[in-house]
Amino acid sequence: MLTWATTLFGWARTPGRTALSLFILAVGAGFAAAAPTPGGGAAAAPLPLSAEHPDFYQRVLTLPGARLYTAPDGSRDAARPLPVFSIFYVFERREMNGREWLAIGTEVNGRAQGWTPGDLAEAWNSMLVMQFAPAGQREQVLFFRERAALDDLLKSPRLTSSAFGLLDSIESGRPDDRLLAYESEGGRVGGVSFSDQPYVLPIIDHQETTMDDGTPETLLQVASVNAEAAPRSEVAPERTREALGDFSVGVTFVIDTTISMQPYIDAVEAEVARLARSLERSSAGSQISFGLVGYRNNVDAAASSGLDYTRRVYLPLRAGANARDLTAALGRMQEAPVSTHSFDEDLVAGLDVALSDIERNRFDSNHMIVVTDAGPLPLSDPYRMLPNESISTIANRADLAETAVYVLHLATPAAQRVGNVEGAARAFGPLARTGDPNAVKYVRIEGGDVSSMVRQVAGAANRLSGNVVESVETAEPVEKPEIQSEEPNLGDLMVNEIFRAQQKLIGAVEGADAPQILRGWAIDKDLTAPQRTTMRVGVLLTRNQINDLAQRLAQVLEIARAARLTPEKLFEELQALAANTAGDPALTDARNASIQELGLLPSYLELLPYDPPILQLDENRWLSATSAEQTFFIEEMDFKVESYRDIQSNTNKWFVRGGDGGEDLYPMPLRLLP
């Protein structure tokens, strides 16, 4: 049996949370001696159960707690623990007392060696694995908790800067909450190589996606073992209270400062001054920090030189920027003395600078409150400050930064007269779905009524100085509010986001988000420079499978070489080979059938997350190819056949599984497949 572990990761951690080590265990071997036949002596099936493709049998990875039993009855008599991530073929599936049991064994032509519960085994028919690419110019590999978070990042026009922000968060000791794990510094600088210490990480799922520029990519879900995962009951209550007692909140106001907005600015200032007095009476008030951004429109398109900025940071969001500081900043904020070039204003520019502050200075709960009587500039407006940003991209960035954006939309009579209200409301849609998407953070102030707006801001201030401060003082989470979609309330919406952030924090501290099997999403590219490779994706093939692949490809190569001078003969010969191999004379008459349709290569190639060009090759494509293209195709096949021979002769890179060696495994890189 062969099992080894290598610590290559650091667990994403923040102050007050448990630091967990993430261990990667290479897939284990089986057992040298045969165990009793399942069922107490009944003959086992001669071959494992077939998977989706005839060349692949059903295989599973054992999970923590899996044991091998002599019969599918749950008895622990003679039960043996199984190494985590050992690979077994499935010979039989049986339901016993409402639980599925699997008859498993290590060899295709052997027999099942015992039974294990199906819920303690992960289906793994594709046998996809990853390894780290050699270190050098590339940055660390990052693993995300959720596929959507990685997908959104790849689709962002700010991918590179966001990726550096994630690395900075690791460097600071407060890794971004989106990260499940990350390659350790030792791994990044070349701490482990496959040649010195063989390892693989199973890929249990993959999804196709496209990057912002349209480049297709594949997202990979990688499984690893968290050797120190602790049940919730084992965590001392003091640790949870400590985390909640250190809970921090960041609130940034993003206010439209165009003409006619001064009454609203003054009203917000008055409420914030009241909030400041309340927070100063509590030691926990210092856990709430503030920022202030004003925005208008492009100064070059203004009616006069009186418009002096498109956006301005009146108060940078920083820890310690308190409500008194915000009050003073609001006192300096004045509406524009002149009109701008359109009723819509450059909200995206204001949100961008406010969000950049949040991205640099993350709090446990992040909030942006927009106060405006106009919609954002449309994408067609030539005066937009940031033509590559939009409300949608800002919303994506906000979600990635765990930031909720609230819109207080002042539906003033002036906005109604120009028909701006409904279009603006639609444009605000993506912002309103940030944070918890089930709590729409859009509040319309009918008629632009100042007193109605004040009630919303006052409600939020009361919740911050009341519920949130009390939560920090008592180290107890806030209660989940009931959100009324018909009459949204800014205070309830903010407390809902704080509740969500606290629950996430509690889960991380108490181990709710740290199962024994960790599943993280990654991509095999350097997120800071996608042209660089960070991982090598491959498929674990047995020695028998590689022999079969080499023989089949060598046959195709031999025919291709022979037909080099008469290209039209190639597919006639391939059809004859397919008919002889499959025992199906009808294949000799298949018109324009591809190599895939002729069944000349193993069908498991169709399971893999890449597009094997050879499978799609048919007579029309071959005859339309230039002589140089045909030559290149033949040379590529020749190179790969030779590579398979080199792999077979190399005894240092195989996962030895005993027996005659036919079930030994090798992580074949996808680039070496046909």
Side-chain angles (χ1 to χ4, degrees), residues 530-549:
Q531 72 274 15
R532 297 174 184 159
T533 299
T534 57
M535 297 186 293
R536 291 176 173 173
V537 179
V539 57
L540 274 186
L541 298 179
T542 67
R543 192 180 295 274
N544 289 337
Q545 287 174 320
I546 294 177
N547 277 338
D548 177 56
L549 177 61

Side-chain angles (χ1 to χ4, degrees), residues 172-193:
S172 71
R174 289 176 58 90
D176 192 290
D177 285 342
R178 287 168 288 171
L179 298 178
L180 174 72
Y182 48 89
E183 188 182 5
S184 70
E185 185 72 10
R188 183 164 66 85
V189 298
V192 177
S193 70

